[in-house]
Amino acid sequence: MFRKALVSALFVWVLLTAAVQGSGQLEKSLQDFAAQIYSDYAAESFEAVYAVMHPSVKALVTEDEYTAFQQRQFSRLRLSISDVEVGEVKHNPRLPASLRAILPADAKEAVYGIEISYQASFVRGMRFTQRISKTVYAAMLDPHGHEPTMYLLWDPKSMEEEEQGNDSD
C-alpha cells in the first residue's frame, strides 16, 4: 500500500515538474519573441517586425504602409531605443478594445501580455530621454506544440492618430 502511494506521489510530482518546465519554456519563448521584436524595432528593421504581425493586422495594413509609418516616426522624432528589458508574461490578459476588435471572434490562438521596458530618446521641441514601460501582446497558435507560431498584436490605429496629429500641426 505504501509503495503504491509512493509511486502515485512520484508520478504526480513528475507531471507537475514537466508542466512547470513546459510553462517556463513557453514564457522564455514569449520573452525572446518580444525581445527580438524590440531589437528589430530599435535597429529600424521594420520589415522584420511586420513579418511577425498577426494576419488580422496584415489584412488592415500593408508592409509598405507600416514601414513608411515607422520610418516617419523615427525620423520625425529622431527616436532611438536602447536598454530593452523583458519582464513578466501573463496568459490571457485583458486586451485593449482596439486589439480585441482585430482578433476574429472564433480565434483559436492563446493570447499573452509581455511586460517590456526600454530607454527612449527623442526630440519634441527639445531632447527627451525616458524609460518607457508597456505591455506587448502576442497571439500563439498551438502554444504547447513542438513549433508554436507566434504573432505580434499591434494596433494600426496609432497610424491614424499620427495622421490626425499631423493635420493639426
Side-chain angles (χ1 to χ4, degrees):
M1 183 70 151
F2 175 74
R3 184 179 237 173
K4 259 187 177 174
L6 185 60
V7 169
S8 294
L10 184 59
F11 180 71
V12 168
W13 179 79
V14 167
L15 285 178
L16 288 174
T17 301
V20 167
Q21 286 177 344
S23 172
Q25 289 173 339
L26 177 61
E27 183 173 306
K28 175 81 170 101
S29 293
L30 286 158
Q31 289 171 326
D32 290 348
F33 179 71
Q36 185 61 54
I37 288 168
Y38 271 81
S39 175
D40 290 338
Y41 187 60
E44 299 183 42
S45 298
F46 306 124
E47 297 84 2
V49 176
Y50 184 84
V52 296
M53 293 278 183
H54 192 277
S56 295
V57 176
K58 289 180 176 181
L60 299 171
V61 179
T62 68
E63 181 177 353
D64 288 342
E65 291 168 331
Y66 176 77
T67 56
F69 165 73
Q70 293 297 2
Q71 288 166 346
R72 279 192 312 274
Q73 289 290 90
F74 268 69
S75 176
R76 184 174 62 84
L77 295 172
R78 290 187 265 167
L79 179 62
S80 68
I81 292 175
S82 61
D83 302 323
V84 176
E85 295 178 8
V86 181
E88 183 181 2
V89 174
K90 294 181 182 172
H91 179 256
N92 203 22
R94 178 154 174 77
L95 289 174
S98 56
L99 292 179
R100 284 194 308 266
I102 291 171
L103 282 177
D106 62 347
K108 302 277 190 262
E109 298 103 339
V111 176
Y112 299 89
I114 307 141
E115 299 301 318
I116 195 155
S117 65
Y118 54 89
Q119 195 77 20
S121 295
F122 57 95
V123 174
R124 213 176 214 166
M126 56 189 284
R127 177 150 292 284
F128 291 92
T129 300
Q130 69 183 61
R131 190 93 188 144
I132 307 286
S133 295
K134 62 192 294 184
T135 302
V136 175
Y137 297 96
M140 186 184 294
L141 285 172
D142 195 18
H144 300 290
H146 290 288
E147 292 188 36
T149 303
M150 292 184 224
Y151 296 111
L152 173 63
L153 295 173
W154 180 77
D155 184 4
K157 287 188 180 176
S158 58
M159 292 173 68
E160 296 169 15
E161 292 166 4
E162 187 244 356
E163 288 173 8
Q164 290 170 354
N166 285 344
D167 290 345
S168 64
D169 287 345

